[in-house]
């Protein structure tokens, strides 16, 4: 386990992690929209992306069938995080500089894309008080027999093979979650 990780990810397996008390829900579904946001743009700007997920299955009975999941990172314009850059550069930025995009990634994890078939482990989003809003703890992506999700290629339930979008939060955890493992996570 990397030194930068906290005890949140100390479970001996991914399946055990999904049973921790702070895990609110485990959701399988398709990303239908993305919205990058910046909190505190005038101070220590934090960039995150809200994934809208059309829920196919979930552990939490009676939960809404659309979930909004906040994930660290995203692509924003420099203007959205202007104060951070102007403070560091000690000057006002030009319009051309402000229009440039900047990609915030946490630990090299690729960003979700519209059309991705995902498996997410979530906790309550304390910044938003609604039953369909969550904060991401872990995200895996189903590459559907090696075909990138979002490609429009049909998939069979038996071919589900979720893999980590980046590095697994704990190197000892499973590298993939198949259909059988997914079914057990939803119980």
């Amino acid at each position: 386990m990397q030194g930068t990780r906290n005890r949140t990810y100390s479970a001996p397996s991914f399946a055990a992690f999904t049973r921790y008390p702070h895990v609110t829900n485990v959701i399988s579904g398709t990303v239908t929209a993305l919205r990058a946001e910046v909190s505190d743009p005038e101070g220590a700007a934090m960039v995150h992306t809200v994934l809208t997920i059309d829920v196919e299955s979930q552990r939490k009975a009676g939960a809404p069938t659309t979930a909004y999941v906040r994930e660290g990172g995203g692509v924003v314009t420099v203007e959205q995080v202007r104060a951070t850059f102007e403070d560091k550069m000690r000057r006002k930025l030009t319009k051309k500089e402000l229009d440039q995009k900047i990609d915030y990634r946490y630990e090299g994890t690729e960003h979700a894309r519209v059309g991705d078939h995902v498996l997410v482990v979530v906790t309550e989003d304390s910044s938003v008080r609604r039953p369909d809003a969550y904060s991401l703890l872990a995200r895996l992506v189903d590459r559907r027999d090696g075909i990138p999700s979002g490609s429009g290629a049909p998939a069979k339930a038996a071919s589900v093979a979720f893999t980590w979008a980046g590095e697994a939060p704990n190197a000892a955890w499973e590298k993939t979650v198949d259909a059988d493992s997914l079914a057990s996570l939803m119980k």
Side-chain angles (χ1 to χ4, degrees):
M1 205 155 84
Q2 295 180 4
T4 59
R5 307 261 184 198
N6 62 31
R7 297 192 75 219
T8 301
Y9 301 101
S10 63
S13 69
F14 177 62
F17 168 72
T18 67
R19 301 293 177 193
Y20 274 16
H22 64 278
V23 172
T24 304
N25 204 353
V26 178
I27 299 169
S28 171
T30 302
V31 177
T32 59
L34 303 166
R35 183 180 72 249
E37 297 180 344
V38 179
S39 59
D40 193 17
E42 297 303 316
M46 294 294 298
V47 176
H48 52 267
T49 299
V50 176
L51 287 62
T52 302
I53 300 174
D54 182 18
V55 177
E56 295 166 7
S57 62
Q58 60 187 319
R59 181 186 296 162
K60 189 175 180 181
T65 58
T66 299
Y68 301 93
V69 179
R70 183 180 310 274
E71 176 177 52
V75 178
V76 296
T77 63
V78 172
E79 185 169 18
Q80 290 175 276
V81 291
R82 170 187 222 148
T84 300
F85 282 87
E86 288 183 340
D87 286 349
K88 287 180 182 177
M89 298 176 81
R90 298 177 188 225
R91 67 174 176 84
K92 295 289 183 189
L93 298 175
T94 66
K95 174 71 172 136
K96 183 177 179 182
E97 290 171 322
L98 293 172
D99 289 341
Q100 291 179 6
K101 301 272 185 190
I102 186 158
D103 184 347
Y104 286 86
R105 290 181 185 231
Y106 292 95
E107 301 191 10
T109 300
E110 68 182 60
H111 299 301
R113 299 179 301 232
V114 170
D116 276 354
H117 187 225
V118 296
L119 172 62
V120 294
V121 179
V122 296
T123 191
E124 290 181 14
D125 186 341
S126 60
S127 69
V128 181
R129 300 270 184 232
R130 44 189 280 188
D132 56 358
Y134 303 99
S135 287
L136 185 78
L137 294 171
R139 176 172 56 89
L140 292 91
V141 180
D142 175 10
R143 293 297 179 204
R144 301 180 184 220
D145 296 319
I147 300 168
S149 55
S151 69
K156 296 176 256 166
S159 69
V160 171
F162 290 100
T163 57
W164 293 98
E167 287 185 37
N170 182 326
W173 288 359
E174 302 87 331
K175 302 298 181 224
T176 63
V177 175
D178 61 19
D180 292 335
S181 299
L182 177 61
S184 70
L185 293 175
M186 296 301 173
K187 295 178 184 173

